[in-house]
Amino acid sequence: MPFPLKPKIAHLILAAGSSSRMEEPKQLLPWGDTTLIGHAIQQSLALEEVTTYVILGAYFDLINMQINHFPIEILKNSDWQSGMGSSISSGVKTIMKDKVTYNAALITVVDQPLIDTVHLNALLTEFKKTPNDIVATDLGERVGVPAIIPKKYFEELSQLKADHGARYIIAAYKNEVKTITALDKGVDIDTVEQYETLFQSKFPS
């Protein structure tokens, strides 16, 4: 049954990794007139009824200094080295204690810069229609984040460990998952070469 009112969503932007293959903080690579993490935050702030949480770990002080002017909540995952699951867990534990009761968590990663407000709004629109279902992104070879996960899964999300990210919850409840396609947008940046290729295609000189 659809929501009679706008649902309250906590947006968890996962940005705690060390970018070991990049030899510099991936989060702070230039993207347009900002950085990868700045871009992710800007997309989030353009959404309605969404509170933005950014989860940092490696390079915390450096990245925090670059983004603390945004109207967001910045969280520190001290266990970031154990993997993405620990960042999701720490973020969900925080929102579960928040004075605001959230209907769901929108989970995104900082290294998919082609994911934009249009796609995130499409996820939100689908979630409003079926608020008990997970709404995930069809990336072609897999279904994963960005994804909106309802409150009923918060306890399980809070128990994630190591590198067990949201895809494990999505796979475990695949019969309760709706998808929105983003085959042309869900490109991950893991290497310098991938970053340079994507940057040049998006911002040709």
Side-chain angles (χ1 to χ4, degrees):
M1 182 175 177
F3 277 110
L5 300 171
K6 292 179 180 177
K8 293 192 179 300
I9 309 290
H11 182 186
L12 306 180
I13 300 176
L14 308 181
S18 66
S19 322
S20 57
R21 283 182 277 182
M22 305 288 285
E23 297 183 352
E24 62 181 307
K26 181 195 305 186
Q27 300 91 327
L28 297 180
L29 288 171
W31 192 259
D33 59 359
T34 182
T35 59
L36 287 181
I37 194 166
H39 174 72
I41 292 168
Q42 289 172 351
Q43 303 311 298
S44 181
L45 294 176
L47 304 172
E48 294 184 6
E49 299 298 315
V50 168
T51 302
T52 307
Y53 294 80
V54 177
I55 302 164
L56 301 179
Y59 315 111
F60 177 86
D61 292 336
L62 180 62
I63 299 171
N64 177 59
M65 187 170 58
Q66 298 290 326
I67 66 171
N68 60 18
H69 63 285
F70 287 110
I72 59 176
E73 298 287 335
I74 299 173
L75 309 179
K76 184 176 184 179
N77 174 20
S78 299
D79 192 32
W80 63 268
Q81 288 173 297
S82 69
M84 190 178 293
S86 68
S87 286
I88 295 173
S89 172
S90 66
V92 171
K93 285 175 181 175
T94 296
I95 66 173
M96 288 172 73
K97 296 175 188 171
D98 199 296
K99 60 182 182 293
V100 175
T101 299
Y102 292 106
N103 301 108
L106 166 61
I107 299 174
T108 66
V109 291
V110 77
D111 58 359
Q112 291 179 327
L114 298 185
I115 293 292
D116 54 14
T117 304
V118 173
H119 180 71
L120 299 179
N121 269 322
L123 295 175
L124 289 167
T125 298
E126 185 62 34
F127 176 70
K128 290 171 188 175
K129 295 177 189 172
T130 56
N132 289 314
D133 290 334
I134 296 168
V135 184
T137 298
D138 179 358
L139 298 163
E141 75 281 4
R142 69 187 190 281
V143 173
V145 298
I148 300 177
I149 303 183
K151 180 172 66 174
K152 67 181 181 179
Y153 300 106
F154 280 6
E155 189 60 42
E156 284 183 78
L157 288 172
S158 74
Q159 301 303 315
L160 287 175
K161 294 182 174 62
D163 206 25
H164 291 189
R167 67 185 183 276
Y168 287 90
I169 299 292
I170 293 167
Y173 296 98
K174 60 185 178 183
N175 294 329
E176 298 173 46
V177 176
K178 300 288 192 297
T179 60
I180 301 292
T181 301
L183 303 185
D184 56 338
K185 295 180 178 179
V187 182
D188 294 336
I189 292 175
D190 291 317
T191 66
V192 173
E193 291 75 22
Q194 288 172 337
Y195 164 70
E196 290 176 346
T197 299
L198 206 59
F199 188 92
Q200 287 300 323
S201 67
K202 183 69 175 176
F203 309 104
S205 53

